[in-house]
Structures are given as structure tokens and as C-alpha cells.
Amino acid sequence: MPRLILIRHGQSQWNLENRFTGWWDVDVTEKGAAEAFAAGKLLKDKGVLPTLAFTSLQTRAIKTLHLALEAAGRLWVQEDKDWRLNERHYGGLTGLDKAETAAKHGEDQVKVWRRSFDVPPPVLEAGSEFDLASDPRYAGIAVPSTESLKDTIARVLPCWEEKIAPALRAGETVIVSAHGNSLRALVKHLSGISDEDITGLEIPTGQPIVYELDDNLAEVERYYLSER
Ligand SMILES: Cc1ccc(S(=O)(=O)Nc2cc3c(c(O)c2O)C(=O)c2ccccc2C3=O)cc1
């Protein structure tokens, strides 16, 4: 039975500061690193052992993957890094905290964005300190200037269809270390969650979600791996 493990990166520095991070490349905190290592220990203790890994081009997800694989004794598995697993791009909100967002855009606009599926935040302004167009890891990639959740899902699913699903069909136990919104895309697809409901689904950091799938990659069982 194909098995898929999803893990959201451990706490990052901007999670701690409650800032919109998106594509900006912040590291995990010591707490986040510990979360990732503990998740790997849990995978080992429960015998849920990945044979192939996927992650984004962002440090917090890559480090989470490596720490979890190290703790599981599986640092040797092949890993594929794909920009399409990056976090949602928050455009001009990148770097803002809750107070700055409300001050700049108003509480009512925040309420609209918070529950919206297809409304993107304002674009990242040209020349912004958070502009990643010249970052060598994105050479040849059209870096978005902002994304709605719908936009994020639309670029995650091709990565699923082209790489992850075929690996599962080939019998691999796949681990995907990624981000809140890119993992929402996979959970939405696998669990048939509506556009309205997916905006309310929170994915906890550093806690592995395990999917047992049938041969058509339909969900048979979904559970959070825990100590108990
Ligand atoms: C950095 C930050 C700002 C606002 C909050 S909140 O307490 O208002 N809650 C909140 C706010 C938002 C969001 C959210 O989930 C949330 O809980 C969003 O998902 C969102 C998506 C695209 C643009 C804007 C938002 C958004 O403002 C939390 C954290």
C-alpha cells in the first residue's frame, strides 16, 4: 500500500516573529530544528521509513527534511528539490507582521484575504529587499510577484502528477518536507477538501502526517504520527 509522509518545516525565525515569509529564505529556529529531529525519531520508532524524499528550494524545509532523515537513519535516501513545493508567495506582505499588515491594509482587507481562495495580496514592489529574481536558485524560473492560494495549488499539483505520484505507484515510501500552503495543496487533492474549507485547514509544524493510499492513490487513511 503506497505510503506518503508530509511534514511542514519546523518553527522558523519569522514564524516566531509572526511575519509573512513566503519565498523569503529564513532558517528554522533551534526549536524548529528540534521539532524536525523529533519527527524523524518518531518515524524511526514507528517504523514509517521513507525511501525517497521531496522538498522545496527553501532552507527551512530542506533543513527540516535533513534533520528528520538523520534522526530516522535515512539521510542516504535520494532527495529531489523542486521550486513548485515552495511556500505561497505573499507579494507585498512579505516581511510584515500582524500589526504592520493591519496598519497598512486595514482589518477588513485582512479579513477578506484570510478567508479567500483566489484573491492574491498586492504584488511585491520592484526593487523590494525581498525580490528574489536574481537569486541563483531561481535561474530560469519565473519568480511570482504574489500568489493566491489557488495559484499556489496550481503549481504544486503538476509536481505531484509528474514526480510524487509516479514514485508512490512505483512502491516508494515518499516523504515531502514543505510548507503550510504547499502541503495544503497536497492535502486538498488527496482528501478532496473544498476551496472554501481548505483556507481554514492549518497544518502543524514538525508533526508528520501519514497517508495510506490505495493503488489509485486515493486516501484510505490519514493520521498524524504521535508518541502514543
Ligand atoms: C503576519 C500575520 C498577519 C496577520 C495575522 S492574522 O491574525 O490576521 N491572521 C491571518 C491573516 C492572514 C491569513 C491568515 O491565514 C491568518 O490566520 C492569510 O492566510 C492571508 C493570506 C493572504 C494574504 C493575507 C493573509 C492574512 O492577512 C497573522 C499573521
Side-chain angles (χ1 to χ4, degrees), residues 17-20 88 90 93 96-99 101-102 107 109-111 113-116 119-122 147 181 184 199 202:
E17 298 172 24
N18 209 20
R19 292 186 183 280
F20 286 114
R88 170 182 179 177
Y90 282 102
L93 301 184
L96 299 184
D97 66 18
K98 180 171 179 176
T101 306
E107 297 284 354
Q109 179 61 69
V110 168
K111 285 193 176 82
W113 283 327
R114 189 168 179 171
R115 303 306 304 169
S116 72
V119 176
E147 283 184 315
N181 287 293
R184 274 174 165 177
T199 59
E202 284 304 321

Side-chain angles (χ1 to χ4, degrees), residues 23 57 82-84 132-144:
W23 280 42
L57 294 183
D82 194 315
W83 72 271
R84 294 174 294 184
L132 290 164
S134 57
D135 186 311
R137 83 189 81 187
Y138 299 119
I141 291 165
V143 176

Side-chain angles (χ1 to χ4, degrees), residues 1 7 45 75 81 92 103 127 137 151 167-168 171 182 188 198 208:
M1 176 177 277
I7 183 168
D45 294 347
L75 205 47
K81 302 185 182 75
R137 83 189 81 187
D151 295 330
L168 289 163
S182 50
K188 180 178 195 298
I198 195 63

Side-chain angles (χ1 to χ4, degrees), residues 65-182:
L65 174 66
H66 291 170
L67 287 161
L69 289 175
E70 179 181 359
R74 310 292 280 198
L75 205 47
W76 50 268
V77 303
Q78 182 184 329
E79 65 181 56
D80 182 312
K81 302 185 182 75
D82 194 315
W83 72 271
R84 294 174 294 184
L85 295 174
N86 274 22
E87 178 55 288
R88 170 182 179 177
H89 196 299
Y90 282 102
L93 301 184
T94 305
L96 299 184
D97 66 18
K98 180 171 179 176
E100 289 162 340
T101 306
K104 190 168 183 180
H105 298 283
E107 297 284 354
D108 291 345
Q109 179 61 69
V110 168
K111 285 193 176 82
V112 168
W113 283 327
R114 189 168 179 171
R115 303 306 304 169
S116 72
F117 178 71
D118 57 4
V119 176
V123 298
L124 186 67
E125 286 156 15
S128 159
E129 64 180 303
F130 303 120
D131 183 354
L132 290 164
S134 57
D135 186 311
R137 83 189 81 187
Y138 299 119
I141 291 165
V143 176
S145 56
T146 188
E147 283 184 315
S148 64
L149 180 53
K150 182 180 180 181
D151 295 330
T152 304
I153 293 169
R155 49 105 165 148
V156 171
L157 291 184
C159 177
W160 163 264
E161 295 297 345
E162 291 165 19
K163 294 183 175 179
I164 303 171
L168 289 163
R169 289 193 187 96
E172 301 285 359
T173 295
V174 171
I175 184 168
V176 178
S177 174
H179 308 262
N181 287 293
S182 50

